[in-house]
Amino acid sequence: MRPCRTQNYFPMLLRPPLLMVCCALAVFSVGTPDGVKAELIVRPTKIVLDSPEASQQIIVSVLTENGRRDVTHEINLAVANDSVATVQGSSIVRPRAEGRTEIAVTLDGETVRVPVEVVKQLRPDPVSFRNEIIPILTKAHCNSGGCHGKAEGQNGFKLSIFGFDVESDYAALMKNGKGRRISLTQPETSLFLLKATSEMPHGGGRKIEEGSYRYHRVLRWIREGAGIDSEDSAAGQIVKIDVEPREQILLGGRTQQLRVTAIDSSGVRRCVTVEAEYESNATPIANVDHQGLIQASDIPGEAAILVRYLGHVTSCRVTLPRPDVTFERPDEANFVDTHVWDQLARLGIEAGAAASESEFLRRVYLDTIGTLPTSEEARKYLADLSSGKRDRLIDELLVRNEYVDYWTMKWLDVLRADQLKVTPQGTVAMQRWLRRSFQQNVSFDQMARELLTVQGSTTAEGPGAFYKILKKPDEMSRAVSQLLLGVRIECAQCHHHPSERWSQEDYTALAGFFTGVKLKKLPNGTEAVVSLGGKDLPHPRTSELVAPRALGASDADLDGLIDRRVAFANWLTQPDNEFFAKAIANRIWAHYLGRGLVEPVDDIRETNPATNEPLMNALSRHMIDVEFDMQAFTRTLLKSRVYQLSSKSNDSNRDDQQNFSHAAYKAIPAEALLDAISQTTGVAEKFNGWPEGYRAIQIWDNRMPSYFFRIFGRPVRATVCECERSGEPSISQALHLLNSPEIMAKIQHRDGTARRLANSELTDDELIDELYLTTLSRFPNEEERNLMREAFSDSGSERNEAVEDVLWALLNTKEFIFNH
């Protein structure tokens, strides 16, 4: 026995879980193709196959002086007695007959021998419908939403989604369809098997290969009488699953085989690698096939591989460093930079250059107040050579009225202030409440408490109209969970959440906080939110009453509370709440940096981890430390070196989309882009029914007809998901900017910017400078200046036409249309 080596590809990449995998294992010295001395590790060290369809995935890795590498699919496996066991594929062991043998694992002439014991082949334990048949249906996607698991089923055969309702699935197989799917007298002729193997026509194609272990397991189950083990009496109910390795470092192009083990209530472990399901949350970085083989790309970053089996989930974290980069650590302004630079160093990604003053100016204006700087503001800022001017600008922007307008608009979207559903009066009431909150910099935990506990008229200033859209307790709880906790719990409404720990009981318990909420008609014809009492809700399957309970918490204490929502609000805003601070910190980070640390921003779960967990945790703590002061939190982000990086990439970080090594190009929201066009052309937009001078970010009417808003992705506020606002560019957008008569009318307007500048005494170069400052917040470079001079030197054009052409050209540049 020798201790595990502690070297790795990069010392800073080493994590304790990686070393724990190899603790207490026999390690064997072998050679590697490059001649570097290595150590061969084989898992498991002993194999027991205890049913005719059992399997065992072998994982083999080497610990070289340069790090750990998976060689599972490079080894040679030889069974000493192949009448006892056999090897399927390159690394899966299966039984043939009872007995003992051993497997020789060979790599580069060195061999490790693993004992194998095969038992219970002649008198196996009965097949468990719950633990062994349901996984076959799930792995074959029979019970997925696109097949028999959808609400109406498929061709008269309906299964519960992902097999959450075992009893109904059993009834569908045994009783529905006049019992014709299963033949106990002639098991091989069962319609279930004939369809699955495509012996009879099947719209879903072949799902089970005849002769495979799945085929034999289903056949044995039918031969045994096709019974169902009850939930209480079923032996060996699965309580958790483990995946090995939990974390792994891969170089570009390398692979890693996973091994998944199910653990039952008595502690018995069973390999379920071939039966589990796998999914990567970052396929451009690392993908995974249906057998659990991870394939790394050549893009550095991190990916989480979701592993799912019988409602249990876990994940493997994969890190892909770039080995040929020497990281030069930039200066740090605060903890944000520390954690991002640490991550980039681990991954071997170079940080980009710092943003120029004009880049920073335009970006921080659009991000913070949704408004371009004017040419005068840009000229003044660029001329200021004093130190600390960026910090001063940030502080100035956070107290401007446009900051209030812009963030009010953003939260009206996610609070679903759809004037058709909450009435114009209700929308205005929510807008006034949000404006007051942002104007007074009300802490976010206080805003959340007001949202959760509001009572009274839905047209009075406040968030009461939010409850006009969500009229059922579970609808309220789903929206609140996604909005304030970053948890999409709706999947647990009908079945156990497929990628999280939440069950139907958790879903029902959360909805129990909102059972007392009602809308009451008032004498003046409006409605009021009232919340009195409430009741426990029944479990959707067992009908047993479920006490209200927050996610991951114990049953709520409702003593002395008239409004159950108060108990939920108290839990939500506790400093130690694991969800609340993370959800709002991630949401704000995503707005300013272009993507969330957890993406999507409202899908926080163990199997979808943050791309930089230390940073996510630090941001959550910081949000708590500043007492949910959103302006203070925003200052921290904006003053970091990370936020102030250039959007220009280098060879090292060009493919990086998740580690913030350079600034991202972000779509400008439809309202802010229309305001930018109006501001740069000098012609305000006239909104139907609104007084002249209103800007798009001030308009609360989300249903106001506007072709511009529609093609540039303004949301209709149908959900609390920020994904409803489309940021994807389209041909329609490009054609509109190129050919729109409305935009051309603004450019050619007699009182617009182009005409005013053309009639001024400015020289051609001064006109070009002014147009660049107006649209792009910077001066043109010499190449751009020479190009634009051609518009003025054309003998066939008037001065005003030249100005219009330059302005039109600038409005159609990527630099104008995007925030970067």
Side-chain angles (χ1 to χ4, degrees), residues 794-812:
D794 186 351
S795 59
S797 66
E798 299 291 336
R799 179 176 162 98
N800 66 299
E801 292 176 344
V803 176
E804 290 169 1
D805 287 346
V806 172
L807 179 55
W808 175 84
L810 291 175
L811 292 182
N812 278 277

Side-chain angles (χ1 to χ4, degrees), residues 270-552:
R270 177 168 64 91
C271 179
V272 294
T273 305
V274 297
E275 301 169 28
E277 296 179 280
Y278 307 92
E279 181 181 339
S280 171
N281 75 337
T283 53
I285 294 171
N287 210 344
V288 63
D289 69 11
H290 69 285
Q291 296 285 358
L293 179 63
I294 301 171
Q295 176 69 58
S297 71
D298 58 357
I299 300 175
E302 291 192 333
I305 307 300
L306 166 69
V307 182
R308 180 170 53 233
Y309 178 76
L310 278 180
H312 300 280
V313 293
T314 187
S315 63
C316 168
R317 188 71 173 263
V318 179
T319 301
L320 274 67
R322 192 187 296 278
D324 54 353
V325 173
T326 300
F327 183 76
E328 295 184 7
R329 198 176 188 92
D331 293 337
E332 297 176 4
N334 54 40
F335 72 89
V336 172
D337 303 321
T338 303
H339 289 296
V340 173
W341 302 159
D342 286 348
Q343 177 87 337
L344 296 181
R346 282 196 295 270
L347 297 174
I349 300 175
E350 294 179 17
S356 66
E357 295 295 354
S358 57
E359 278 184 288
F360 171 76
L361 172 69
R362 189 175 191 272
R363 180 190 306 164
V364 75
Y365 261 78
L366 286 171
D367 279 342
T368 309
I369 65 175
T371 303
L372 280 178
T374 63
S375 61
E376 292 81 6
E377 289 170 331
R379 195 183 294 274
K380 179 181 177 182
Y381 177 82
L382 296 177
D384 185 356
L385 302 180
S386 63
S387 61
K389 68 176 186 178
R390 291 191 178 188
D391 288 355
R392 290 195 298 274
L393 176 61
I394 291 167
D395 292 337
E396 291 169 4
L397 291 175
L398 290 173
V399 295
R400 283 182 53 161
N401 287 332
E402 294 95 329
Y403 171 80
V404 176
D405 293 334
Y406 188 48
W407 284 88
T408 295
M409 178 199 79
K410 286 182 63 65
W411 279 93
L412 282 173
D413 288 345
V414 293
L415 289 177
R416 298 184 60 180
D418 179 1
Q419 65 103 335
L420 288 184
K421 294 184 178 179
V422 305
T423 72
Q425 295 86 349
T427 308
V428 170
M430 293 180 72
Q431 184 195 43
R432 288 175 176 170
W433 171 68
L434 286 168
R435 281 191 56 80
R436 173 180 56 81
S437 298
F438 287 112
Q439 187 78 53
Q440 298 176 4
N441 194 29
V442 175
S443 64
F444 187 72
D445 58 341
Q446 178 60 33
M447 290 179 64
R449 180 176 288 276
E450 291 178 19
L451 176 68
L452 288 172
T453 61
V454 62
Q455 297 205 51
S457 174
T458 59
T459 60
E461 181 180 311
F466 181 67
Y467 292 90
K468 285 181 67 67
I469 312 160
L470 310 166
K471 299 184 178 180
K472 297 179 180 179
D474 64 324
E475 292 177 350
M476 299 174 197
S477 64
R478 289 202 305 263
V480 166
S481 177
Q482 188 171 347
L483 186 66
L484 301 180
L485 302 177
V487 176
R488 297 181 177 184
I489 199 172
E490 66 269 20
C491 286
Q493 178 181 9
C494 302
H495 51 84
H496 194 289
H497 198 295
S499 53
E500 249 293 13
R501 64 184 189 267
W502 312 125
S503 64
Q504 284 183 289
E505 183 172 326
D506 294 316
Y507 180 91
T508 306
L510 186 63
F513 286 108
F514 299 89
T515 54
V517 181
K518 299 289 188 295
L519 287 176
K520 181 181 179 181
K521 286 286 186 181
L522 297 178
N524 62 2
T526 62
E527 293 178 305
V529 178
V530 295
S531 184
L532 301 173
K535 60 182 180 180
D536 296 349
L537 292 172
H539 190 286
R541 285 197 295 126
T542 66
S543 297
E544 294 181 4
L545 294 180
V546 179
R549 182 178 70 243
L551 297 182

Side-chain angles (χ1 to χ4, degrees), residues 729-774:
S730 68
I731 294 296
S732 298
Q733 295 171 1
L735 292 176
H736 185 75
L737 292 172
L738 282 168
N739 304 308
S740 166
E742 293 84 4
I743 292 178
M744 189 54 64
K746 287 179 180 289
I747 293 173
Q748 297 175 339
H749 198 282
R750 63 183 181 182
D751 296 323
T753 298
R755 188 67 59 88
R756 174 177 57 81
L757 293 178
N759 292 336
S760 71
E761 297 180 358
L762 296 176
T763 65
D764 293 348
D765 280 1
E766 289 172 336
L767 282 176
I768 294 170
D769 286 350
E770 185 67 16
L771 289 170
Y772 267 80
L773 288 168
T774 298

